[in-house]
Amino acid sequence: MRFQPRFATAGAVAGGLRAIERPDRVVEVRAPDAWGDAQVEAWLDWADAAPTAAPPADLPRELAAPAEDGLLDGALARYAHRLAAWSWTAELFDKVQDAVAFRDDIFASLAQGLAAPLAGARGLPPPAAEAAGPVFATRLERRLAQARGRAAALAAGPALEHRLQAVIDAIDRCEGDADACADPRRNAPLARAARAALAAGASDALLAQAIALGRAGETRWTAAAPDLPAPEPLLVGVVERDGAASQAARRAAIAGWESGEVLLAFDAVAAEQARQALAAPAVALAADRFWSAQGFDHQGFAALVRLWTVALELELYASGADAALPGGRPLSLQLAGLHELLVRRGLAYGSEAGRQAAAEVQALATAAAYAASGELAIPMGPCPDFPGARNAATAVLRAHAARCSALPQTPATALAGKLFAAAVKSSETAGLRHLQATGLGEDPGLALRLGGLSMGAAPWAGPASAAELSDGTVLRVLAPAAAEALAAMGADVSAAEAHLKGAGALDGPSGLNRAALQARGFTDHEIGAAEAALAAGVPLAAAFSSASLDEGFLRDVLGAPAEALADPAFDVLAFAGFTPEQIAEASERAGATGSLLAWPDLPSGQGAVFAGAAEVALADRLAMQAALEAFACAPALTALPAGSTPGEATARLAQAAAAGVRAVRLVPEAARPVRIELPPAEEEAPRRRLEPAPQPLVTERIVEKVVERERARRKLPDRRKGYIQKATVGGHKVYLHTGEYEDGELGEVFIDMHKEGAAFRSLMNNFAIAISIGLQYGVPLDEFVDAFVYTRFEPAGPVTGNDTIRSATSILDYIFRELAVSYLDREDLANGDPGELHADGLGRGIQDGAGPGEAAAEPEPLPASRLISKGFARGVPDNLIVLPLGGRDKARATPAPEADVCAECGELAVTRSGAGLACEACGAPAGRSGAESQ
């Protein structure tokens, strides 16, 4: 077999050093200047997975080592050298110069962005196809259950990891007795974390395990992604074209929509072709790169197809898996950039002329591949299955030639006719090395390595493209194909690009503009950052997303909850109060449109030429697929638009059958983030307990009610009540001043440290302000108490000056225990014993003023002036007292002595003196008692 260099004569490809971020490191590689960073990274991924097995035989000096070229750290040169080495081992070339020319052309086609191969052969094909029926339905349900299991395991793992980590954190943060910290009945944060873990799907056993680990001192609960079994090969089924609307076909279509693992063909031959193509080594060839002002370079394109037909054969030969592969030795040469080629030529994707032009290229690719397969059969022999398939293979080639002659006669179709004739001759004599050679795949990895070109019969993304500057900045620009077409039409290319980019500024007269954003709290900083993103081509929603704006601004100014910010689909503009109509209008005005159909200066009647994938009708996609399948060896594999529904999948199957396509694989495109809007829950069901509940009759049930509250600050009254508590903690004097609402609820706190450094005093003052703001926005006091009690830092120690808190582990521990006792009736945090300063600060429970075994003295009545501010209670009668009615031991209670209140001084000190009453405090006579006056 002879080889003349064709692509290597173009010279070296210019390239510079590029810093590329890999999953585990940043690498510096030399890459072609025309490639973006994402394209380079995709090629590096390919290089990591590319086969490296070299032939064992000795090689000539010219093939002993790869050519010296530093592109992608020499990965392209090593790949070309490996194929050339195997070609010499297989005795494919008579002269070493032919092997060298082959090697240099493989390298040049890769470096010039003309071809992108898969990393080696793909492996075994799927099982044989079955007709849609009971057996196929059983296999389908099993496959669907496996796919759902994998999806559920991957989704549930991170959620459970987060919840169980919260369980361990609640134990780790707890200060005090270890058994109490690990008991949900005595550790409130642990109880909340446990309920959340159960709600997320954790079993009681898994929850108990996490609690035990936390009790043992573990601080991390991490879970790696499960080693799930690899997905099985596609499930291939045959659906009668007239039965595409049957129940079995509908069920298969829905299963394919959900899992992407079902391929449905409309006849047994197409099913077998698709099945073998899925196992074949593949390469994508950029057809649009062969268009120039002089027309389509059909000779160069045919040479590229021949080159890579030989390369894929060598991939099969080097894999050593011939016995496990189909006997027809299928290859899958796929076309990329067909829609871009039509745009360069000024042809609409949905037009008859566009379909014929695309079919010409597909016919030429298939003819050149079969002709090369005939050449390969001479030195290497035909494929094992060829003797039994000779007549069928020859008939297929003649049918292709007949359809090619029916196309408009161009240089490309004329060359295709000659190559089909050569392939027929080879089939009748030496045979064919491959029974099928071309396919119509939609592999996103191959497309990315070719710069984002369209694949197979799929339409292109649209006239907008991304350009990367040397500093890494990505700009939205007009795609080269669109710019070339507009220039040929005499249109203003710069104006078209400006239309694609949008205004980039939020300066509209009304609706969503700068003034409206500022009225909702957006500052010039946030608006400027969004406008910079819009100018770079970022959509409006992405420019105002939680990933683009500062989290502190979103939470503190807009009031967005933390769980909403973690949702990728959170709509910041809608949360800020803008309507869908206002957002759409601003997006069209300021954001990048990505379309030229609404450009007022577009040449008349040319809008369809620049239609993107979202603007191409389904009927046009199916018509293009059928036109290309007439010349491809294997049927196309189509993808559903993002966000498609199961109903649309079943409709796509019926439409594909009516359009005459040969097979359908309903692969959902990468879905956009979805956020399910749920109504507010008015009432939650009781949650599971951590241990079996007692069985007696339940007479009372507590139901937690979730009430939606407006996220507004509740202001304190101008004249407010509260108290001041002076105490000393570990020798450091601290004043706690509280402010209350009219109903007695705590609304603010002030903390003043006496004779402390300015930094510490300022820190405590600002901490008190933060707590006050939280209280006024509705944060429950018990949340602060749970977070700060038993925190440990200096100053700490005995507490003097407070009648309920006698020791503390820190200033914050003292403050929040005092607030808990005063406002939450948390008596469990009171009665500290300064004699035993444990971690929890709690004492032995012996009442103050009484020794062991002694009863505490009965509290005396207090005058109201001890508890109520005379200044605050102006106008209120001051002859009030506070009676000690609660907290007594009823078993030891005795009748209280008869006593009256003195009208002069307000003291409870009026006693009987003979027949009258007198006040022992002030000595004033009190007249007769109320009882005697009656």
Side-chain angles (χ1 to χ4, degrees):
M1 191 173 186
R2 300 303 306 275
F3 241 94
Q4 294 294 327
R6 183 181 184 94
F7 305 103
T9 58
V13 175
L17 287 177
R18 199 90 59 86
I20 303 297
E21 185 174 353
R22 306 303 308 282
D24 57 342
R25 65 194 188 281
V26 175
V27 299
E28 194 172 65
V29 297
R30 193 166 72 87
D33 294 336
W35 293 3
D37 283 356
Q39 188 176 357
V40 175
E41 187 174 1
W43 276 104
L44 291 176
D45 292 339
W46 167 84
D48 290 342
T52 58
D58 293 334
L59 298 173
R61 179 180 54 83
E62 294 85 349
L63 299 176
E68 293 185 3
D69 190 283
L71 286 179
L72 301 182
D73 283 339
L76 303 184
R78 289 192 299 270
Y79 180 80
H81 166 74
R82 173 180 169 273
L83 290 182
W86 279 106
S87 73
W88 187 257
T89 302
E91 299 180 352
L92 181 60
F93 301 116
D94 299 327
K95 298 180 180 181
V96 69
Q97 290 81 3
D98 294 323
V100 171
F102 169 76
R103 179 197 66 189
D104 294 345
D105 263 15
I106 288 289
F107 172 80
S109 65
L110 294 173
Q112 294 169 19
L114 302 178
L118 281 179
R122 286 192 270 194
L124 298 176
E130 289 186 11
V135 176
F136 183 74
T138 301
R139 293 176 58 192
L140 191 66
E141 292 302 324
R142 182 183 65 84
R143 178 66 64 87
L144 196 56
Q146 292 174 342
R148 288 173 176 172
R150 289 193 298 269
L154 292 175
L160 277 181
E161 178 181 0
H162 173 72
R163 296 302 184 184
L164 293 174
Q165 180 62 53
V167 169
I168 290 185
D169 289 343
I171 299 174
D172 181 56
R173 288 195 299 263
C174 178
E175 294 283 351
D177 181 70
D179 291 332
C181 288
D183 188 348
R185 295 167 299 183
R186 299 156 68 186
N187 184 344
L190 174 60
R192 288 194 293 270
R195 283 193 291 267
L198 292 173
S203 64
D204 289 320
L206 191 59
L207 177 59
Q209 184 185 75
I211 293 177
L213 290 172
R215 171 68 175 81
E218 291 291 324
T219 59
R220 297 295 300 165
W221 200 97
T222 56
D227 294 328
L228 301 175
E232 298 182 30
L234 285 182
L235 193 60
V236 182
V238 178
V239 176
E240 295 294 334
R241 198 173 293 274
D242 295 337
S246 65
Q247 183 61 31
R250 290 172 57 86
R251 181 58 185 157
I254 293 175
W257 168 85
E258 181 177 354
S259 67
E261 299 179 11
V262 180
L263 188 147
L264 300 175
F266 295 112
D267 59 72
V269 174
E272 181 61 21
Q273 291 172 338
R275 190 179 76 88
Q276 294 198 22
L278 291 169
V283 65
L285 306 178
D288 70 316
R289 309 291 163 80
F290 292 87
W291 177 262
S292 66
Q294 289 72 37
F296 184 68
D297 181 7
H298 54 283
Q299 295 285 356
F301 179 72
L304 182 70
V305 173
R306 178 176 181 261
L307 173 70
W308 279 96
T309 301
V310 176
L312 294 188
E313 165 57 33
L314 291 172
E315 285 283 15
L316 282 178
Y317 183 83
S319 67
D322 289 32
L325 293 170
R329 300 183 65 81
L331 307 179
S332 183
L333 286 95
Q334 304 170 10
L335 298 188
L338 271 182
H339 194 169
E340 287 83 352
L341 174 61
L342 298 181
V343 174
R344 291 178 186 274
R345 298 181 59 176
L347 299 174
Y349 177 92
S351 65
E352 179 64 25
R355 287 190 289 271
Q356 289 179 348
E360 291 175 13
V361 180
Q362 184 64 60
L364 179 57
T366 301
Y370 271 128
S373 181
E375 288 185 77
L376 289 167
I378 296 175
M380 306 183 74
C383 63
D385 286 353
F386 184 77
R390 181 188 298 271
N391 294 334
T394 304
V396 168
L397 291 174
R398 293 185 186 278
H400 281 320
R403 284 192 290 271
C404 184
S405 63
L407 292 173
Q409 291 305 294
T410 64
T413 54
L415 178 58
K418 293 179 182 179
L419 293 174
F420 274 129
V424 169
K425 184 177 180 179
S426 297
S427 178
E428 294 174 340
T429 55
L432 297 175
R433 186 64 175 166
H434 317 92
L435 289 182
Q436 62 185 63
T438 58
L440 292 169
E442 293 186 17
D443 190 307
L446 295 179
L448 180 57
R449 281 191 272 134
L450 290 178
L453 294 179
S454 61
M455 288 288 297
W460 71 334
S465 180
E468 189 170 1
L469 302 180
S470 58
D471 61 355
T473 303
V474 178
L475 299 178
R476 195 175 185 87
V477 298
L478 196 64
E484 185 176 333
L486 288 169
M489 296 175 185
D492 188 339
V493 177
S494 299
E497 187 171 45
H499 173 80
L500 279 180
K501 292 181 178 180
L506 300 162
D507 53 1
S510 61
L512 201 167
N513 55 16
R514 293 185 67 91
L517 288 167
Q518 290 170 345
R520 287 166 170 81
F522 288 84
T523 67
D524 290 339
H525 174 74
E526 284 80 30
I527 298 174
E531 289 183 334
L534 291 172
V538 176
L540 182 69
F544 281 96
S545 66
S546 56
S548 301
L549 299 179
D550 180 67
E551 180 180 353
F553 165 78
L554 295 174
R555 297 186 63 175
D556 299 338
V557 178
L558 293 188
E563 58 273 13
L565 298 182
D567 185 354
F570 177 58
D571 192 335
V572 174
L573 292 174
F575 183 82
F578 293 101
T579 66
E581 293 77 13
Q582 291 174 326
I583 297 173
E585 187 274 334
S587 179
E588 182 178 355
R589 166 172 39 85
T593 63
S595 173
L596 288 176
L597 299 189
W599 183 38
D601 297 332
L602 185 68
S604 177
Q606 300 298 323
V609 174
F610 304 98
E615 299 156 337
V616 172
L618 174 59
D620 292 335
R621 293 190 65 164
L622 294 175
M624 178 64 77
Q625 180 178 338
L628 296 180
E629 283 182 344
F631 294 98
C633 300
L637 304 180
T638 63
L640 289 169
S644 298
T645 64
E648 291 170 341
T650 58
R652 171 71 66 91
L653 180 63
Q655 291 170 319
V661 301
R662 295 158 59 189
V664 175
R665 180 187 176 191
L666 301 172
V667 184
E669 293 179 357
R672 304 181 183 92
V674 177
R675 185 185 182 195
I676 305 299
E677 297 291 343
L678 297 176
E682 295 185 358
E683 191 171 281
E684 291 185 1
R687 296 185 172 100
R688 290 187 290 166
R689 298 174 60 88
L690 297 181
E691 58 186 12
Q695 299 302 320
L697 178 65
V698 178
T699 59
E700 186 177 76
R701 184 175 62 141
I702 299 176
V703 177
E704 182 180 351
K705 186 174 183 180
V706 179
V707 180
E708 292 291 331
R709 298 178 59 182
E710 182 183 358
R711 296 184 180 274
R713 188 173 179 179
R714 181 184 173 196
K715 296 291 186 179
L716 283 160
D718 293 335
R719 184 179 180 83
R720 64 200 69 165
K721 61 184 183 295
Y723 70 90
I724 300 175
Q725 172 70 58
K726 173 188 174 184
T728 302
V729 178
H732 293 255
K733 193 175 298 182
V734 57
Y735 292 86
L736 174 65
H737 184 179
T738 68
E740 302 173 4
Y741 293 100
E742 292 89 339
D743 58 1
E745 183 181 351
L746 179 65
E748 68 180 357
V749 294
F750 296 94
I751 305 170
D752 187 21
M753 298 292 295
H754 188 59
K755 294 185 179 179
E756 298 291 344
F760 187 72
R761 293 182 62 186
S762 299
L763 184 63
M764 294 302 295
N765 287 337
N766 285 277
F767 174 79
I769 293 173
I771 296 297
S772 301
I773 292 174
L775 292 169
Q776 293 167 28
Y777 271 103
V779 178
L781 176 60
D782 56 3
E783 293 289 340
F784 289 122
V785 172
D786 289 341
F788 294 112
V789 294
Y790 307 136
T791 52
R792 179 179 293 278
F793 58 86
E794 295 296 332
V799 177
T800 59
N802 191 305
D803 58 354
T804 57
I805 311 298
R806 296 302 179 87
S807 61
T809 59
S810 67
I811 294 294
L812 296 188
D813 173 53
Y814 159 70
I815 290 171
F816 285 97
R817 285 171 61 189
E818 162 63 26
L819 294 175
V821 171
S822 300
Y823 289 96
L824 301 177
D825 296 328
R826 290 285 300 273
E827 298 297 331
D828 57 311
L829 299 178
N831 296 328
D833 184 358
E836 290 193 13
L837 181 61
H838 297 298
D840 58 3
L842 301 182
R844 300 175 180 175
I846 301 176
Q847 299 187 32
D848 296 334
E854 299 180 6
E858 291 291 343
E860 295 295 333
L862 297 176
S865 58
R866 292 280 304 277
L867 301 176
I868 300 178
S869 168
K870 183 176 181 67
F872 179 83
R874 58 189 179 190
V876 179
D878 59 1
N879 56 348
L880 303 176
I881 62 168
V882 178
L883 299 178
L885 299 179
R888 295 187 179 184
D889 188 347
K890 295 182 179 181
R892 295 184 286 108
T894 57
E898 185 176 322
D900 282 329
V901 179
C902 177
E904 297 295 329
C905 66
E907 292 288 346
L908 189 67
V910 177
T911 58
R912 185 176 300 279
S913 177
L917 298 174
C919 177
E920 293 184 350
C922 64
R928 297 182 61 84
S929 68
E932 293 178 348
S933 66
Q934 297 178 0

